[in-house]
Amino acid sequence: MNHFIDVIIPVPLKKLFTYGITASEADFLKAGMRVAVPFGKSKIYTGIVYRVHNEPPTAYDAKDIQQILDDAPIVNQKQLQLWQWIANYYMCTLGDVMRAALPSAFILESETVVIKNKTKTIDETVLKDDEFLVYETLHHQSSLKIHDISNILDKKNVLPVIKRLIEKEAIFVEEEVYEKYKPKLVRYAKLHSNFSSETALQKLLDDLNRAPKQRQVIMTLFSVSATTKKPVKVSDLATESGTSTAIIKSLIDKGILEEYYIQTDRVQYSGGENEATKNLNEYQEVALKEIKNAFNKHAVTLLHGVTSSGKTEVYVKLIEDTLNKGKQVLYLLPEIALTAQLITRLQEYFGEQVAVFHSKYSSQERVEVWNHVLNNSGKAKIVLGARSSIFLPFDDLGLIVVDEEHEQSFKQFDPAPRYHARDTAVVLANMHEAKILLGSATPSLESYFNAKQNKYGFVEITKRYNDVLMPDMELVDIKDKFKKKLMKGHFSDRLIEEMTETLREGHQIILFQNRRGFSPIVECNTCGNSPQCPNCDVSLTYHQYRNQLRCHYCGYNSVMIKDCKACGSAELDSKGFGTEQIEEEVKTLFPDYKVARMDLDTTRGKFGYEKIITALEQQEIDILVGTQMLTKGLDFRNVKLVGIMNADNMLNFPDFRAHERSFQLMLQVSGRAGRTQERGKVLIQTYNPYHNILQQVSTNNYVAMYNEQMNDRYNYKYPPIYKQIKITLKHKDYHKVDVASAWLAKSLKQLFKDHVLGPESPPISRIRNQFHKNILIKIPKQQSLSKTKKAIIKINNSFFNIKDFRSVKIILNVDNF
Ligand code: ADP
Ligand code: ZN
Ligand code: ZN
């Protein structure tokens, strides 16, 4: 009898490939193991065994595999099942899913580049001959391709050698350079040793009688260190003593206090006793009971809890329960919300059982987490991770928490698989018969809808922890302010007043400026022309700090122009405003305070994001200007005022979710204000204070927003009432993409009638020299989604049978919102 395996290889092929194996290999191989297989003329890929069987392929002669790479599966049955679901639901190939799912160190292939691990000294005597040859060559050559290694060893079959070298930590597989988390430095203060004697101290306190604030700092330092018996952070000292870091600084300058830094390692768990989890207050307690009850009927439950209601502590109790049952936990968060704050908080409770998985980690580190999860090891009982952690090889999952479930970044837009991690997590939980809790202060309409339809369980917390009041919201009509000449730049008199007051009290301020759809564009005052990107049909944006014009889609840039390219006039105006401009204006308005900015530009560098957060936490920043990055689950104790510079550009963004998103964004940023006893203040500047969304934001009325938006979704046939699939066609020849998209839309319309929209040119119709056309298919609830997809695939196939269309690229995006 002949033996075969079906193999998934990480390329977008519609079908699995079948390879021949020997009888003993068939005995040994199991689904989920890696094999090295030849593909095409000379390529070699790492594939995952999908199925072992005895059916020869009919269309071709099966080639033999090159090598078996694993002793045991690295991908389990449930994962393969999930991959299959993703491929079907999101209309992509298993190869696409495989590439997204596996850390790149698992996928050796002929294009892989290996480099020497310079951080480790290798005892060369432990290397086998072939390993030594490769390692030796890497002394003289910075990198090698698999193909070069084949030549060096004079054999085809080299992946096992590479695999062994990786295991011995002699080499790395090259990838983007990932940054490891650096330990953060936290500033502490102690009394200078000059004052350790009783008499010196007494004299100091007497001297300080004339400086009551400074005296207060010293007294607080004593009382805090007496109670906590731990080093005292400068920031804590400032808050506890009710003074400011400036006063502490003057004590340091005078040599009364000494400052020093301690590294607090944010990722590695340093051991030590675990803390007991916190006692819940009555609202949290009720919510926890209700969640457990809801779980009896609904595996999926939505927790709608206002910002700072203490949702995390509720999750912690559920996690504790799940661990006690010996099961694994997945805690999903948007990438950027995976902050040190949260990691530390969970490690305090659960110690080394917490593993973190996200894109800042190197492939090697991700492999480590992968293996811990695969072996259900004690070191990864709780995985705290971003979107892609749904791909980990969970063995026995008991609970998934999806925090900030409304966040758009759970959806992967490019490349395929274009999956939504929250929705995929629901499927994953189902496979493990696990419970899944979706949490948010501003749930997505689709989750809230599912809860209302009784498809999901539903639990609410309406009170903030410790009865901290919701911030006081004020809408400022800037049209009126402009008329009355009460604006300075982009700042209304009200905003300036509140900022002045807040700063005088020693509190911090966050100013929010929406990034999307609002970049500084240069426009000629004489003829109205604005410089365009030569590749993208989109206006270039002005970057003051580099004095450049840049395209946000393709990265094209040029120096800022001196005069209009169209009419030669030198009167150029930069329309709109970005965070940079706000920062400049703040610096002029409040020259004595420290201003910082948080946006894509300032956080791109090494740990930029973490650095700014730490600086804010440590109160080294008085005013922080930022984009949506500010909204994500951060807990800043001393921020009292939040200013939203311009609500209108969010509301006017051309997208059916713009209103929902504006509501979510504004409430989330507002949630950063006044998280302690002091009531926070939020000021929203707008041209249109009577906009319903702004009224709903200012009264924190989620239900009114939900009802109104759902009404629109019914009327205009949008999700969650209708399902949606977007088809994008791309080609460098406009005529071709035009004809092709017209053909495709016409064929689709024959079937789906007026539920097909388009083809349309998107607002940016050319990106990287490719013209785009979009077709949107709306799918009513009663229409079978799987049949619809089958029909689309069939039409697609006929499309590609037309010779002229073959070079057109088609992208399918299911739930494209
Ligand atoms: P949310 O996630 O709902 O915005 P958090 O879980 O971050 O709220 O809680 C807000 C603050 O209240 C945090 O600083 C947290 O430590 C504190 N907190 C919440 N619940 C408790 C509790 N039961 N005991 C002590 N502190 C709590
Ligand atoms: Zn001009
Ligand atoms: Zn461009």
Short mmCIF file of all heavy atoms in Angstrom, two decimals, residues 462-511:
data_model
loop_
_atom_site.label_atom_id
_atom_site.label_comp_id
_atom_site.label_asym_id
_atom_site.label_seq_id
_atom_site.Cartn_x
_atom_site.Cartn_y
_atom_site.Cartn_z
N THR A 462 -22.29 50.10 36.37
CA THR A 462 -22.57 51.49 36.01
C THR A 462 -21.85 52.48 36.93
O THR A 462 -21.88 53.67 36.70
CB THR A 462 -24.08 51.79 36.08
OG1 THR A 462 -24.54 51.36 37.36
CG2 THR A 462 -24.82 51.03 35.00
N LYS A 463 -21.20 51.97 37.99
CA LYS A 463 -20.51 52.84 38.93
C LYS A 463 -19.00 52.69 38.79
O LYS A 463 -18.49 51.60 38.65
CB LYS A 463 -20.89 52.45 40.36
CG LYS A 463 -22.25 52.90 40.79
CD LYS A 463 -22.11 54.17 41.62
CE LYS A 463 -23.37 54.61 42.33
NZ LYS A 463 -24.65 54.31 41.72
N ARG A 464 -18.31 53.83 38.88
CA ARG A 464 -16.86 53.77 38.90
C ARG A 464 -16.39 53.26 40.26
O ARG A 464 -17.09 53.42 41.26
CB ARG A 464 -16.27 55.17 38.65
CG ARG A 464 -16.42 55.61 37.22
CD ARG A 464 -15.73 56.94 37.01
NE ARG A 464 -14.94 56.94 35.78
CZ ARG A 464 -14.06 57.90 35.46
NH1 ARG A 464 -13.85 58.90 36.28
NH2 ARG A 464 -13.39 57.84 34.34
N TYR A 465 -15.22 52.64 40.28
CA TYR A 465 -14.70 52.12 41.54
C TYR A 465 -14.45 53.27 42.50
O TYR A 465 -13.99 54.33 42.09
CB TYR A 465 -13.41 51.34 41.30
CG TYR A 465 -12.89 50.72 42.57
CD1 TYR A 465 -13.50 49.59 43.10
CD2 TYR A 465 -11.84 51.31 43.26
CE1 TYR A 465 -13.07 49.04 44.28
CE2 TYR A 465 -11.41 50.77 44.45
CZ TYR A 465 -12.03 49.64 44.97
OH TYR A 465 -11.60 49.11 46.15
N ASN A 466 -14.77 53.03 43.78
CA ASN A 466 -14.54 54.05 44.80
C ASN A 466 -15.45 55.26 44.63
O ASN A 466 -15.13 56.34 45.13
CB ASN A 466 -13.09 54.53 44.76
CG ASN A 466 -12.37 54.07 46.01
OD1 ASN A 466 -13.02 53.69 46.98
ND2 ASN A 466 -11.06 54.12 45.97
N ASP A 467 -16.54 55.09 43.90
CA ASP A 467 -17.48 56.19 43.68
C ASP A 467 -16.86 57.43 43.07
O ASP A 467 -17.33 58.54 43.27
CB ASP A 467 -18.18 56.59 44.99
CG ASP A 467 -19.09 55.46 45.46
OD1 ASP A 467 -19.71 54.82 44.58
OD2 ASP A 467 -19.17 55.22 46.67
N VAL A 468 -15.74 57.25 42.39
CA VAL A 468 -15.17 58.38 41.68
C VAL A 468 -16.22 58.84 40.68
O VAL A 468 -16.84 58.03 40.00
CB VAL A 468 -13.89 57.96 40.92
CG1 VAL A 468 -13.37 59.10 40.06
CG2 VAL A 468 -12.83 57.50 41.91
N LEU A 469 -16.44 60.15 40.62
CA LEU A 469 -17.48 60.65 39.73
C LEU A 469 -17.03 60.57 38.28
O LEU A 469 -15.85 60.66 37.98
CB LEU A 469 -17.79 62.11 40.07
CG LEU A 469 -18.50 62.32 41.41
CD1 LEU A 469 -18.52 63.80 41.74
CD2 LEU A 469 -19.90 61.73 41.37
N MET A 470 -18.01 60.42 37.38
CA MET A 470 -17.70 60.54 35.96
C MET A 470 -17.25 61.97 35.74
O MET A 470 -17.71 62.88 36.43
CB MET A 470 -18.96 60.25 35.12
CG MET A 470 -19.38 58.79 35.12
SD MET A 470 -18.07 57.68 34.61
CE MET A 470 -18.45 57.50 32.90
N PRO A 471 -16.36 62.18 34.77
CA PRO A 471 -15.88 63.55 34.59
C PRO A 471 -17.00 64.48 34.17
O PRO A 471 -18.00 64.07 33.60
CB PRO A 471 -14.83 63.40 33.47
CG PRO A 471 -15.06 62.09 32.85
CD PRO A 471 -15.72 61.22 33.87
N ASP A 472 -16.80 65.74 34.48
CA ASP A 472 -17.75 66.77 34.11
C ASP A 472 -17.48 67.15 32.65
O ASP A 472 -16.36 67.48 32.29
CB ASP A 472 -17.50 67.96 35.06
CG ASP A 472 -18.25 69.19 34.63
OD1 ASP A 472 -19.35 69.05 34.07
OD2 ASP A 472 -17.71 70.30 34.85
N MET A 473 -18.51 67.05 31.81
CA MET A 473 -18.31 67.27 30.37
C MET A 473 -18.83 68.64 29.96
O MET A 473 -19.93 69.03 30.34
CB MET A 473 -19.12 66.24 29.58
CG MET A 473 -18.81 64.82 29.91
SD MET A 473 -17.49 64.28 28.85
CE MET A 473 -17.77 62.54 28.86
N GLU A 474 -18.05 69.31 29.15
CA GLU A 474 -18.50 70.61 28.67
C GLU A 474 -18.26 70.73 27.17
O GLU A 474 -17.16 70.43 26.68
CB GLU A 474 -17.73 71.71 29.41
CG GLU A 474 -18.09 73.11 28.95
CD GLU A 474 -17.37 74.20 29.76
OE1 GLU A 474 -17.03 73.95 30.94
OE2 GLU A 474 -17.16 75.29 29.20
N LEU A 475 -19.29 71.14 26.44
CA LEU A 475 -19.14 71.34 25.00
C LEU A 475 -18.86 72.82 24.74
O LEU A 475 -19.54 73.69 25.29
CB LEU A 475 -20.42 70.92 24.28
CG LEU A 475 -20.77 69.43 24.39
CD1 LEU A 475 -22.19 69.17 23.89
CD2 LEU A 475 -19.78 68.59 23.61
N VAL A 476 -17.85 73.09 23.93
CA VAL A 476 -17.51 74.48 23.64
C VAL A 476 -17.76 74.76 22.16
O VAL A 476 -17.19 74.08 21.30
CB VAL A 476 -16.03 74.77 23.98
CG1 VAL A 476 -15.68 76.20 23.63
CG2 VAL A 476 -15.77 74.48 25.44
N ASP A 477 -18.61 75.71 21.89
CA ASP A 477 -18.97 76.04 20.51
C ASP A 477 -17.89 76.94 19.90
O ASP A 477 -17.84 78.14 20.16
CB ASP A 477 -20.33 76.76 20.54
CG ASP A 477 -20.82 77.10 19.14
OD1 ASP A 477 -20.02 77.02 18.18
OD2 ASP A 477 -22.01 77.44 19.01
N ILE A 478 -17.01 76.37 19.08
CA ILE A 478 -15.90 77.20 18.59
C ILE A 478 -16.30 78.10 17.43
O ILE A 478 -15.61 79.07 17.15
CB ILE A 478 -14.63 76.37 18.23
CG1 ILE A 478 -14.94 75.13 17.43
CG2 ILE A 478 -13.86 76.00 19.47
CD1 ILE A 478 -13.71 74.34 17.01
N LYS A 479 -17.40 77.79 16.79
CA LYS A 479 -17.87 78.71 15.75
C LYS A 479 -18.18 80.05 16.41
O LYS A 479 -17.76 81.12 15.96
CB LYS A 479 -19.13 78.14 15.08
CG LYS A 479 -19.47 78.88 13.79
CD LYS A 479 -20.32 78.04 12.84
CE LYS A 479 -21.68 77.79 13.41
NZ LYS A 479 -22.53 76.80 12.86
N ASP A 480 -18.91 79.96 17.51
CA ASP A 480 -19.26 81.14 18.28
C ASP A 480 -18.01 81.84 18.83
O ASP A 480 -17.88 83.05 18.78
CB ASP A 480 -20.18 80.68 19.41
CG ASP A 480 -20.69 81.83 20.23
OD1 ASP A 480 -21.30 82.74 19.62
OD2 ASP A 480 -20.46 81.85 21.46
N LYS A 481 -17.07 81.02 19.32
CA LYS A 481 -15.84 81.59 19.88
C LYS A 481 -15.05 82.34 18.80
O LYS A 481 -14.45 83.37 19.08
CB LYS A 481 -14.97 80.50 20.50
CG LYS A 481 -15.61 79.78 21.66
CD LYS A 481 -15.67 80.65 22.92
CE LYS A 481 -16.28 79.88 24.08
NZ LYS A 481 -16.58 80.76 25.23
N PHE A 482 -15.04 81.76 17.61
CA PHE A 482 -14.33 82.44 16.51
C PHE A 482 -14.99 83.78 16.22
O PHE A 482 -14.32 84.80 16.07
CB PHE A 482 -14.33 81.58 15.24
CG PHE A 482 -13.14 80.67 15.13
CD1 PHE A 482 -13.29 79.28 15.13
CD2 PHE A 482 -11.85 81.19 15.04
CE1 PHE A 482 -12.20 78.44 15.03
CE2 PHE A 482 -10.74 80.35 14.93
CZ PHE A 482 -10.91 78.97 14.94
N LYS A 483 -16.33 83.74 16.17
CA LYS A 483 -17.08 84.96 15.87
C LYS A 483 -16.75 86.05 16.90
O LYS A 483 -16.52 87.20 16.57
CB LYS A 483 -18.59 84.66 15.90
CG LYS A 483 -19.27 85.04 14.58
CD LYS A 483 -20.78 84.97 14.70
CE LYS A 483 -21.31 83.60 14.29
NZ LYS A 483 -22.65 83.31 14.80
N LYS A 484 -16.71 85.63 18.16
CA LYS A 484 -16.47 86.60 19.23
C LYS A 484 -14.98 86.84 19.46
O LYS A 484 -14.61 87.47 20.44
CB LYS A 484 -17.11 86.10 20.52
CG LYS A 484 -18.62 86.03 20.42
CD LYS A 484 -19.22 85.62 21.76
CE LYS A 484 -20.74 85.60 21.69
NZ LYS A 484 -21.30 84.54 22.55
N LYS A 485 -14.15 86.30 18.55
CA LYS A 485 -12.70 86.47 18.64
C LYS A 485 -12.14 85.98 19.99
O LYS A 485 -11.30 86.65 20.60
CB LYS A 485 -12.33 87.95 18.43
CG LYS A 485 -12.82 88.54 17.11
CD LYS A 485 -11.70 89.26 16.41
CE LYS A 485 -11.94 89.70 15.00
NZ LYS A 485 -13.17 89.37 14.31
N LEU A 486 -12.67 84.84 20.45
CA LEU A 486 -12.20 84.30 21.72
C LEU A 486 -11.32 83.07 21.53
O LEU A 486 -11.14 82.26 22.42
CB LEU A 486 -13.39 83.95 22.62
CG LEU A 486 -14.20 85.16 23.09
CD1 LEU A 486 -15.48 84.73 23.79
CD2 LEU A 486 -13.35 86.03 24.01
N MET A 487 -10.79 82.93 20.30
CA MET A 487 -9.90 81.79 20.03
C MET A 487 -8.47 82.29 19.94
O MET A 487 -8.20 83.32 19.34
CB MET A 487 -10.27 81.12 18.70
CG MET A 487 -11.63 80.47 18.64
SD MET A 487 -11.79 79.01 19.68
CE MET A 487 -10.79 77.80 18.80
N LYS A 488 -7.55 81.52 20.54
CA LYS A 488 -6.13 81.76 20.28
C LYS A 488 -5.65 80.52 19.55
O LYS A 488 -5.55 79.45 20.15
CB LYS A 488 -5.36 81.89 21.59
CG LYS A 488 -5.42 83.29 22.17
CD LYS A 488 -4.44 83.41 23.33
CE LYS A 488 -4.71 84.71 24.06
NZ LYS A 488 -4.28 84.64 25.47
N GLY A 489 -5.36 80.65 18.27
CA GLY A 489 -5.02 79.47 17.48
C GLY A 489 -6.19 78.51 17.53
O GLY A 489 -7.32 78.87 17.22
N HIS A 490 -5.93 77.28 17.99
CA HIS A 490 -7.00 76.29 18.07
C HIS A 490 -7.57 76.17 19.48
O HIS A 490 -8.25 75.20 19.78
CB HIS A 490 -6.50 74.95 17.57
CG HIS A 490 -6.13 74.98 16.12
ND1 HIS A 490 -4.85 75.17 15.68
CD2 HIS A 490 -6.90 74.89 15.01
CE1 HIS A 490 -4.83 75.19 14.36
NE2 HIS A 490 -6.06 75.01 13.93
N PHE A 491 -7.24 77.13 20.34
CA PHE A 491 -7.66 77.05 21.74
C PHE A 491 -8.71 78.10 22.07
O PHE A 491 -8.50 79.29 21.88
CB PHE A 491 -6.45 77.24 22.67
CG PHE A 491 -5.49 76.09 22.62
CD1 PHE A 491 -4.62 75.94 21.54
CD2 PHE A 491 -5.46 75.14 23.63
CE1 PHE A 491 -3.74 74.87 21.49
CE2 PHE A 491 -4.59 74.07 23.58
CZ PHE A 491 -3.73 73.94 22.51
N SER A 492 -9.84 77.62 22.59
CA SER A 492 -10.88 78.55 23.01
C SER A 492 -10.51 79.14 24.37
O SER A 492 -9.69 78.56 25.10
CB SER A 492 -12.22 77.82 23.12
OG SER A 492 -12.12 76.81 24.10
N ASP A 493 -11.13 80.27 24.70
CA ASP A 493 -10.85 80.86 26.01
C ASP A 493 -11.19 79.89 27.13
O ASP A 493 -10.49 79.80 28.13
CB ASP A 493 -11.63 82.18 26.17
CG ASP A 493 -13.14 81.98 25.99
OD1 ASP A 493 -13.54 80.96 25.38
OD2 ASP A 493 -13.91 82.83 26.46
N ARG A 494 -12.26 79.11 26.96
CA ARG A 494 -12.64 78.15 28.01
C ARG A 494 -11.54 77.11 28.23
O ARG A 494 -11.20 76.78 29.36
CB ARG A 494 -13.95 77.43 27.62
CG ARG A 494 -15.21 78.21 27.89
CD ARG A 494 -15.41 78.45 29.38
NE ARG A 494 -15.58 77.21 30.14
CZ ARG A 494 -14.94 76.94 31.28
NH1 ARG A 494 -14.08 77.81 31.79
NH2 ARG A 494 -15.13 75.81 31.92
N LEU A 495 -11.01 76.60 27.14
CA LEU A 495 -9.98 75.57 27.27
C LEU A 495 -8.75 76.16 27.97
O LEU A 495 -8.18 75.55 28.87
CB LEU A 495 -9.62 75.00 25.89
CG LEU A 495 -8.61 73.85 25.89
CD1 LEU A 495 -9.03 72.71 26.81
CD2 LEU A 495 -8.43 73.27 24.47
N ILE A 496 -8.39 77.38 27.57
CA ILE A 496 -7.22 78.01 28.19
C ILE A 496 -7.46 78.24 29.69
O ILE A 496 -6.60 77.94 30.52
CB ILE A 496 -6.87 79.33 27.47
CG1 ILE A 496 -6.42 79.00 26.03
CG2 ILE A 496 -5.76 80.08 28.20
CD1 ILE A 496 -6.19 80.21 25.15
N GLU A 497 -8.65 78.69 30.03
CA GLU A 497 -8.97 78.89 31.45
C GLU A 497 -8.82 77.59 32.25
O GLU A 497 -8.18 77.55 33.29
CB GLU A 497 -10.44 79.33 31.61
CG GLU A 497 -10.69 80.82 31.52
CD GLU A 497 -12.18 81.10 31.27
OE1 GLU A 497 -13.04 80.37 31.84
OE2 GLU A 497 -12.46 82.02 30.48
N GLU A 498 -9.44 76.53 31.71
CA GLU A 498 -9.40 75.26 32.44
C GLU A 498 -7.98 74.72 32.55
O GLU A 498 -7.60 74.15 33.56
CB GLU A 498 -10.30 74.21 31.75
CG GLU A 498 -11.78 74.46 31.94
CD GLU A 498 -12.25 74.29 33.39
OE1 GLU A 498 -11.59 73.53 34.14
OE2 GLU A 498 -13.25 74.93 33.76
N MET A 499 -7.21 74.92 31.48
CA MET A 499 -5.83 74.43 31.51
C MET A 499 -5.03 75.19 32.57
O MET A 499 -4.29 74.59 33.34
CB MET A 499 -5.17 74.61 30.12
CG MET A 499 -5.70 73.62 29.08
SD MET A 499 -4.99 73.90 27.44
CE MET A 499 -3.33 73.27 27.67
N THR A 500 -5.21 76.50 32.60
CA THR A 500 -4.48 77.32 33.55
C THR A 500 -4.77 76.87 34.98
O THR A 500 -3.87 76.66 35.79
CB THR A 500 -4.90 78.80 33.39
OG1 THR A 500 -4.87 79.12 32.00
CG2 THR A 500 -3.99 79.72 34.16
N GLU A 501 -6.06 76.68 35.24
CA GLU A 501 -6.51 76.24 36.57
C GLU A 501 -5.90 74.88 36.94
O GLU A 501 -5.36 74.70 38.02
CB GLU A 501 -8.05 76.17 36.52
CG GLU A 501 -8.72 75.60 37.72
CD GLU A 501 -8.76 76.57 38.89
OE1 GLU A 501 -8.48 77.76 38.64
OE2 GLU A 501 -9.04 76.13 40.01
N THR A 502 -6.00 73.95 36.00
CA THR A 502 -5.51 72.60 36.26
C THR A 502 -4.01 72.60 36.56
O THR A 502 -3.54 71.94 37.48
CB THR A 502 -5.79 71.70 35.04
OG1 THR A 502 -7.17 71.78 34.72
CG2 THR A 502 -5.41 70.26 35.31
N LEU A 503 -3.27 73.36 35.76
CA LEU A 503 -1.82 73.41 35.96
C LEU A 503 -1.48 74.05 37.29
O LEU A 503 -0.57 73.61 37.99
CB LEU A 503 -1.16 74.18 34.81
CG LEU A 503 -1.22 73.48 33.45
CD1 LEU A 503 -0.77 74.43 32.34
CD2 LEU A 503 -0.37 72.21 33.43
N ARG A 504 -2.24 75.08 37.65
CA ARG A 504 -1.97 75.75 38.91
C ARG A 504 -2.16 74.78 40.08
O ARG A 504 -1.41 74.81 41.05
CB ARG A 504 -2.88 76.96 39.07
CG ARG A 504 -2.39 77.90 40.18
CD ARG A 504 -3.11 79.22 40.17
NE ARG A 504 -4.54 79.03 40.22
CZ ARG A 504 -5.43 79.76 39.54
NH1 ARG A 504 -5.01 80.74 38.76
NH2 ARG A 504 -6.70 79.52 39.64
N GLU A 505 -3.14 73.89 39.96
CA GLU A 505 -3.36 72.91 41.03
C GLU A 505 -2.36 71.77 40.99
O GLU A 505 -2.43 70.86 41.80
CB GLU A 505 -4.76 72.30 40.88
CG GLU A 505 -5.87 73.26 41.23
CD GLU A 505 -7.22 72.69 40.83
OE1 GLU A 505 -7.27 71.60 40.21
OE2 GLU A 505 -8.22 73.34 41.14
N GLY A 506 -1.46 71.79 40.01
CA GLY A 506 -0.44 70.75 39.95
C GLY A 506 -0.93 69.46 39.30
O GLY A 506 -0.35 68.40 39.49
N HIS A 507 -2.02 69.54 38.54
CA HIS A 507 -2.49 68.33 37.85
C HIS A 507 -2.05 68.32 36.39
O HIS A 507 -1.55 69.31 35.88
CB HIS A 507 -4.02 68.25 37.93
CG HIS A 507 -4.51 68.04 39.32
ND1 HIS A 507 -4.21 66.91 40.04
CD2 HIS A 507 -5.24 68.82 40.14
CE1 HIS A 507 -4.76 67.01 41.24
NE2 HIS A 507 -5.38 68.15 41.32
N GLN A 508 -2.29 67.18 35.76
CA GLN A 508 -1.84 67.03 34.37
C GLN A 508 -3.01 67.13 33.39
O GLN A 508 -4.17 66.98 33.77
CB GLN A 508 -1.15 65.68 34.20
CG GLN A 508 0.15 65.58 34.97
CD GLN A 508 0.61 64.13 35.04
OE1 GLN A 508 -0.04 63.30 35.66
NE2 GLN A 508 1.72 63.82 34.40
N ILE A 509 -2.64 67.35 32.13
CA ILE A 509 -3.64 67.57 31.08
C ILE A 509 -3.35 66.66 29.88
O ILE A 509 -2.20 66.48 29.51
CB ILE A 509 -3.60 69.03 30.60
CG1 ILE A 509 -3.91 69.98 31.77
CG2 ILE A 509 -4.55 69.27 29.44
CD1 ILE A 509 -3.68 71.44 31.45
N ILE A 510 -4.41 66.14 29.30
CA ILE A 510 -4.27 65.42 28.03
C ILE A 510 -5.08 66.18 26.97
O ILE A 510 -6.24 66.54 27.21
CB ILE A 510 -4.79 63.97 28.16
CG1 ILE A 510 -3.78 63.11 28.92
CG2 ILE A 510 -5.05 63.37 26.79
CD1 ILE A 510 -4.25 61.68 29.14
N LEU A 511 -4.45 66.45 25.84
CA LEU A 511 -5.17 67.07 24.72
C LEU A 511 -5.24 66.05 23.59
O LEU A 511 -4.23 65.48 23.19
CB LEU A 511 -4.45 68.33 24.24
CG LEU A 511 -4.35 69.47 25.25
CD1 LEU A 511 -3.57 70.63 24.66
CD2 LEU A 511 -5.74 69.94 25.70
#
